[in-house]
Short mmCIF file of all heavy atoms in Angstrom, two decimals:
data_model
loop_
_atom_site.label_atom_id
_atom_site.label_comp_id
_atom_site.label_asym_id
_atom_site.label_seq_id
_atom_site.Cartn_x
_atom_site.Cartn_y
_atom_site.Cartn_z
N GLY A 439 44.82 205.43 -21.87
CA GLY A 439 45.50 206.73 -21.93
C GLY A 439 46.50 206.98 -20.81
O GLY A 439 47.15 208.02 -20.80
N GLY A 440 46.63 206.02 -19.90
CA GLY A 440 47.57 206.21 -18.80
C GLY A 440 47.10 207.19 -17.75
O GLY A 440 47.89 207.68 -16.93
N LEU A 441 45.78 207.50 -17.74
CA LEU A 441 45.21 208.40 -16.72
C LEU A 441 44.79 207.63 -15.49
O LEU A 441 44.55 208.21 -14.44
CB LEU A 441 44.03 209.14 -17.31
CG LEU A 441 44.33 210.06 -18.51
CD1 LEU A 441 43.02 210.59 -19.10
CD2 LEU A 441 45.23 211.19 -18.11
N ASP A 442 44.65 206.32 -15.62
CA ASP A 442 44.26 205.45 -14.51
C ASP A 442 45.01 204.12 -14.69
O ASP A 442 45.37 203.76 -15.81
CB ASP A 442 42.76 205.25 -14.51
CG ASP A 442 42.23 204.76 -13.18
OD1 ASP A 442 43.03 204.54 -12.27
OD2 ASP A 442 40.99 204.63 -13.05
N LEU A 443 45.21 203.42 -13.61
CA LEU A 443 45.88 202.13 -13.68
C LEU A 443 44.90 201.01 -13.39
O LEU A 443 44.04 201.16 -12.52
CB LEU A 443 47.04 202.08 -12.68
CG LEU A 443 48.23 202.97 -12.94
CD1 LEU A 443 49.21 202.93 -11.78
CD2 LEU A 443 48.93 202.55 -14.23
N PRO A 444 45.03 199.88 -14.06
CA PRO A 444 44.14 198.76 -13.76
C PRO A 444 44.54 198.10 -12.42
O PRO A 444 45.67 198.23 -11.99
CB PRO A 444 44.39 197.81 -14.94
CG PRO A 444 45.79 198.06 -15.35
CD PRO A 444 46.02 199.55 -15.12
N THR A 445 43.57 197.43 -11.83
CA THR A 445 43.88 196.65 -10.64
C THR A 445 44.71 195.42 -11.00
O THR A 445 45.56 194.97 -10.23
CB THR A 445 42.56 196.21 -9.96
OG1 THR A 445 41.75 197.37 -9.76
CG2 THR A 445 42.81 195.54 -8.63
N ALA A 446 44.47 194.89 -12.20
CA ALA A 446 45.22 193.72 -12.69
C ALA A 446 45.21 193.75 -14.20
O ALA A 446 44.36 194.43 -14.83
CB ALA A 446 44.62 192.43 -12.17
N GLY A 447 46.16 193.05 -14.81
CA GLY A 447 46.22 192.96 -16.28
C GLY A 447 47.36 193.77 -16.86
O GLY A 447 48.03 194.55 -16.16
N SER A 448 47.56 193.62 -18.16
CA SER A 448 48.64 194.33 -18.86
C SER A 448 48.09 195.25 -19.92
O SER A 448 47.07 194.98 -20.54
CB SER A 448 49.60 193.32 -19.50
OG SER A 448 48.95 192.58 -20.53
N VAL A 449 48.78 196.40 -20.08
CA VAL A 449 48.39 197.44 -21.03
C VAL A 449 49.58 197.77 -21.88
O VAL A 449 50.55 198.40 -21.40
CB VAL A 449 47.87 198.71 -20.32
CG1 VAL A 449 47.43 199.76 -21.33
CG2 VAL A 449 46.75 198.36 -19.35
N HIS A 450 49.58 197.38 -23.15
CA HIS A 450 50.66 197.73 -24.08
C HIS A 450 50.08 198.61 -25.19
O HIS A 450 49.14 198.21 -25.88
CB HIS A 450 51.28 196.48 -24.69
CG HIS A 450 52.07 195.67 -23.70
ND1 HIS A 450 51.50 194.70 -22.91
CD2 HIS A 450 53.40 195.70 -23.37
CE1 HIS A 450 52.43 194.15 -22.15
NE2 HIS A 450 53.59 194.73 -22.40
N VAL A 451 50.66 199.81 -25.30
CA VAL A 451 50.20 200.77 -26.30
C VAL A 451 51.42 201.41 -26.96
O VAL A 451 52.31 201.90 -26.25
CB VAL A 451 49.31 201.88 -25.68
CG1 VAL A 451 48.77 202.81 -26.77
CG2 VAL A 451 48.15 201.27 -24.90
N CYS A 452 51.47 201.40 -28.27
CA CYS A 452 52.57 202.05 -29.01
C CYS A 452 53.93 201.56 -28.54
O CYS A 452 54.90 202.32 -28.53
CB CYS A 452 52.49 203.58 -28.87
SG CYS A 452 50.99 204.33 -29.52
#
Side-chain angles (χ1 to χ4, degrees):
L441 299 172
D442 199 357
L443 291 174
T445 307
S448 65
V449 181
H450 290 87
V451 183
C452 299

